[in-house]
Amino acid sequence: MATMKDIALRTGVSVATVSNVLNGKPGAASDSKAQEIFTIAQELHYHPNSFAKNLKLRRSNSIGIITEDLTVFNTPEIVDGIESYCEEHGYEIIVDNMRLFKRYRNDFTDTPQHSRYFENALSTLVSKQVEGIVYVGYHCREISFLPTFGDIPFVYAYCFPKGGGFSSVYPDDENAGYHVGQTLIRCGHRKIGVIVGPVTSIHAQSRLCGFQRALLENQILYNPETTFWGDWSRNSSYEIAEKLLSMDITAIFAMNDLMASGVYTYCLEHNIAVGRDISLFGYDNRDIVDLYSPAISSVAPPLHEIGRKSAELVLRQIQSNTLINERFLLPCSVHLRDSVVRI
């Protein structure tokens, strides 16, 4: 890549003269010499080093992203939302992936090793002069990893920081659970089985609270005996499906699509027709829901919108030079398909 020094050598002037001419400084060189400098710059395909220029201005026009794990289904779409917003506003992204799910699966214990991964990612991004950072969690929960500085915008996506102090953006699981309950009730269902995620999961707790609110508003008594706690896996819901389907229920709300697919598999193997004999609702709206016939009704969390909102918050703080400390819950969308039958 050509530099100002290369142009200076070809034109017989100093680097400072080349810089002044290319930056439009009046009187930097005679008209003929200035024209020669522009001609040589064009021949050498010279492009100004905007990154170095921005460093002098303490700007890099870049946003850092710390992901807990890029391989988890929700993360790529959130990152894409961040990138799309940054691209529209002239910023680039730099991603550092901690690979926590690959290393620890669903163990969210805040060990010293977890903290070291975070500190390393943070140091890497700060050393690259990013102007702000988005931390992307792979499960909504309270995060104890906090930046050790206070002068750079920092936003948590799909999670929230312990003790507050920074902005966070995550899905409104409670209202989504409420709308699933209302949808099933409007379809005539009164006896609904529920397969929740792990008892410690904020996703699971929030979705269950919303579902219970829908029952309460419709004067339907909540029956804890038809609620079972799974672990987000197909195997756990397959075993629970046998128990639920032995009860007098007409619908099952499985709080992620993998668990819904476990129920579906059990039904297929036992000649129970989903969408006729039993209604089924999942959550996450992953590609798997369309692999079944009828397709599984599901809830789509606003992953792309979470990314865009997080990027918006970071850029707003950069431009205003003020830190924002707010929580934003974004609405999910409910997709009713033929796996739910009206009674």
Side-chain angles (χ1 to χ4, degrees), residues 64-66 94-96 121-130 133:
I65 303 175
I66 299 175
I94 302 174
V95 180
D96 195 296
L122 193 60
S123 297
T124 298
L125 293 176
V126 170
S127 71
K128 293 180 179 179
Q129 302 285 328
V130 297
I133 295 174

Side-chain angles (χ1 to χ4, degrees), residues 229-257:
W229 297 86
D231 62 7
W232 303 127
S233 72
R234 293 178 76 252
N235 289 340
S236 68
S237 62
Y238 183 93
E239 296 171 358
I240 293 170
E242 181 178 9
K243 299 173 183 177
L244 280 175
L245 291 166
S246 67
M247 303 176 181
D248 186 23
I249 62 169
T250 62
I252 295 176
F253 175 25
M255 292 193 180
N256 80 340
D257 292 333

Side-chain angles (χ1 to χ4, degrees), residues 57-335:
L57 298 173
R58 293 191 175 275
R59 296 193 60 187
S60 64
N61 278 38
S62 63
I63 296 299
I65 303 175
I66 299 175
T67 62
E68 291 191 330
D69 203 302
L70 270 171
T71 64
V72 178
F73 86 93
N74 65 302
T75 305
E77 191 64 25
I78 294 175
V79 171
D80 185 67
I82 297 169
E83 184 171 23
S84 70
Y85 190 89
C86 288
E87 185 179 85
E88 292 169 11
H89 292 80
Y91 276 74
E92 297 180 347
I93 64 168
I94 302 174
V95 180
D96 195 296
N97 181 30
M98 296 195 292
R99 301 180 63 247
L100 294 187
F101 184 75
K102 287 289 188 180
R103 300 179 200 271
Y104 303 106
R105 308 301 290 180
N106 283 322
D107 179 8
F108 303 124
T109 307
D110 294 327
T111 66
Q113 187 60 50
H114 283 66
S115 182
R116 280 194 290 271
Y117 288 130
F118 173 70
E119 292 296 336
N120 289 341
L122 193 60
S123 297
T124 298
L125 293 176
V126 170
S127 71
K128 293 180 179 179
Q129 302 285 328
V130 297
E131 296 183 50
I133 295 174
V134 179
Y135 181 101
V136 182
Y138 65 88
H139 271 299
C140 189
R141 67 193 196 283
E142 184 180 73
I143 302 293
S144 63
F145 309 139
L146 303 175
T148 53
F149 49 81
D151 58 346
I152 185 170
F154 201 99
V155 173
Y156 289 83
Y158 212 74
C159 55
F160 51 90
K162 184 176 183 178
F166 300 91
S167 289
S168 54
V169 187
Y170 49 96
D172 191 348
D173 279 313
E174 182 175 338
N175 269 324
Y178 169 79
H179 287 302
V180 170
Q182 289 283 32
T183 300
L184 290 172
I185 292 167
R186 282 197 300 268
C187 289
H189 298 281
R190 297 295 181 270
K191 297 179 180 179
I192 305 168
V194 181
I195 305 178
V196 197
V199 68
T200 56
S201 168
I202 291 176
H203 291 297
Q205 295 169 7
S206 298
R207 293 168 194 174
L208 182 59
C209 284
F211 176 76
Q212 291 172 327
R213 178 159 55 93
L215 295 180
L216 181 64
E217 286 188 8
N218 289 276
Q219 299 181 338
I220 299 173
L221 186 64
Y222 170 67
N223 183 3
E225 293 184 0
T226 59
T227 297
F228 291 85
W229 297 86
D231 62 7
W232 303 127
S233 72
R234 293 178 76 252
N235 289 340
S236 68
S237 62
Y238 183 93
E239 296 171 358
I240 293 170
E242 181 178 9
K243 299 173 183 177
L244 280 175
L245 291 166
S246 67
M247 303 176 181
D248 186 23
I249 62 169
T250 62
I252 295 176
F253 175 25
M255 292 193 180
N256 80 340
D257 292 333
L258 285 178
M259 294 194 300
S261 73
V263 174
Y264 214 124
T265 300
Y266 181 90
C267 290
L268 289 173
E269 293 178 358
H270 293 81
N271 296 317
I272 300 170
V274 173
R276 187 188 69 195
D277 303 328
I278 190 76
S279 289
L280 179 63
F281 229 107
Y283 203 106
D284 292 330
N285 206 43
R286 299 176 66 174
D287 292 343
I288 192 174
V289 301
D290 291 319
L291 298 179
Y292 293 91
S293 182
I296 302 173
S297 301
S298 191
V299 175
L303 302 178
H304 193 79
E305 292 78 7
I306 288 173
R308 289 184 62 85
K309 184 64 178 180
S310 299
E312 176 200 328
L313 287 169
V314 168
L315 295 191
R316 195 196 309 171
Q317 292 177 80
I318 292 170
Q319 292 157 5
S320 66
N321 199 31
T322 57
L323 297 181
I324 301 172
N325 175 17
E326 295 182 48
R327 286 191 181 186
F328 297 86
L329 273 73
L330 302 189
C332 305
S333 55
V334 176
H335 296 266

